[in-house]
Amino acid sequence: MVITFEGIDGSGKSTQVDLLAEWLRMKGKKVATFREPGGTIITEKIRTILLTKGAEELSDKTELLLFLAARNHLITTKLIPLLETDTIVVLDRFSDSTLAYQGYGRGIDLDVIQQLLKFSVNQLVPSVTFYIDMCFTDAVNRLVSSTKKLDRFESLGEDFFDKVRNGYIELQKNDPNRILSISGNKTIEEIHSFVTKELERKFSSLI
Ligand code: ADP
Ligand code: TYD
């Protein structure tokens, strides 16, 4: 089983990934968590290239291909072997991030991204995705203490994040069985409780 969390930066994904992993472990499940891009030596290097401001700008297409390269490497080297041992994999971002950020945000053709996703993610579709919905202003206010993250908000801009958010809303509408949406303005406990209840409802025999 693969469970993913999606949403704009600062919406509370990694908080929920950690809480869910702890909850699943308490239930005796084997769990592994990863953030994307990241999770292996090579993908952490790709993360540095993608997320460190350098002298040279990446083109939109180079950025897209690097996110996909990192995802393919993570899937091949970590996720597939873990799934073969019945480990539940919880991911902080996955393919929906690419559709939302590179597709809706940067404006790269969604059909092209879908084709490239087919090639690079080996048909791996999350069993369920929790989309934490939050607007740009609320996310910025929440992250006032994190200079590195605020930098990203500043360089990408409000318009970009509005497009990403609208993209997520559209993706959720098109796939409401897989993508479940919850407001990021609820408390950490309320969101966690939504997540666990939905998992118990959807996968009662497994969880
Ligand atoms: P993301 O992984 O989406 O960037 P984080 O989980 O790192 O987001 O959360 C960003 C910040 O907001 C952290 O300081 C975290 O403690 C706080 N936070 C997370 N969820 C909530 C929430 N529901 N209400 C208030 N603050 C939250
Ligand atoms: P990260 O610090 O992990 O974000 P968060 O604050 O949400 O925890 O940074 C990941 C950044 O990379 C984030 O801005 C979203 C972006 N991203 C893409 O643009 N495309 C992708 O396919 C992925 C996985 C991430």
Side-chain angles (χ1 to χ4, degrees):
M1 178 187 282
V2 179
I3 302 168
T4 65
F5 283 84
E6 293 285 354
I8 66 166
D9 308 47
S11 54
K13 299 176 302 298
S14 48
T15 304
Q16 295 300 327
V17 166
D18 291 347
L19 283 175
L20 176 61
E22 198 184 306
W23 183 81
L24 289 167
R25 286 190 186 111
M26 296 266 284
K27 285 181 156 273
K29 304 288 173 196
K30 285 189 281 184
V31 185
T33 65
F34 296 96
R35 67 169 179 183
E36 265 226 70
T40 75
I41 294 168
I42 288 175
T43 50
E44 288 294 336
K45 283 186 181 165
I46 298 178
R47 180 183 178 88
T48 306
I49 296 172
L50 280 162
L51 302 181
T52 310
K53 257 200 198 162
E56 231 178 323
E57 283 276 311
L58 290 173
S59 76
D60 291 353
K61 288 182 186 172
T62 306
E63 183 193 53
L64 167 67
L65 293 169
L66 284 174
F67 277 119
L68 296 178
R71 183 162 309 134
N72 179 265
H73 186 73
L74 180 72
I75 291 172
T76 314
T77 59
K78 299 269 177 171
L79 304 195
I80 290 174
L82 281 165
L83 292 168
E84 280 166 0
T85 64
D86 285 335
T87 302
I88 298 178
V89 172
V90 185
L91 299 175
D92 188 339
R93 299 192 177 283
F94 197 59
S95 299
D96 296 306
S97 283
T98 314
L99 290 162
Y101 282 74
Q102 280 64 54
Y104 290 92
R106 299 276 193 217
I108 298 178
D109 189 303
L110 290 168
D111 291 334
V112 171
I113 299 183
Q114 291 284 15
Q115 288 298 320
L116 291 169
L117 281 171
K118 246 186 227 160
F119 176 70
S120 53
V121 308
N122 308 36
Q123 319 288 336
L124 198 70
V125 178
S127 322
V128 60
T129 296
F130 293 98
Y131 164 55
I132 307 181
D133 182 53
M134 176 156 268
C135 72
F136 173 85
T137 312
D138 290 344
V140 169
N141 287 339
R142 188 178 274 181
L143 293 175
V144 277
S145 54
S146 167
T147 339
K148 208 171 137 208
K149 289 206 169 165
L150 281 181
D151 251 20
R152 205 160 160 74
F153 278 110
E154 212 163 276
S155 59
L156 292 169
E158 182 163 3
D159 277 1
F160 177 84
F161 281 99
D162 284 349
K163 285 189 216 157
V164 172
R165 182 186 183 202
N166 289 332
Y168 273 127
I169 292 170
E170 183 105 358
L171 290 170
Q172 194 278 329
K173 267 197 213 140
N174 293 339
D175 197 354
N177 286 333
R178 173 177 65 87
I179 308 180
L180 308 178
S181 173
I182 174 124
S183 164
N185 294 315
K186 291 185 185 291
T187 66
I188 291 175
E189 226 3 271
E190 281 170 335
I191 299 171
H192 176 58
S193 158
F194 172 81
V195 168
T196 54
K197 285 206 172 84
E198 286 297 330
L199 288 176
E200 283 174 332
R201 186 180 65 80
K202 272 175 107 60
F203 307 103
S204 53
S205 58
L206 293 170
I207 284 177

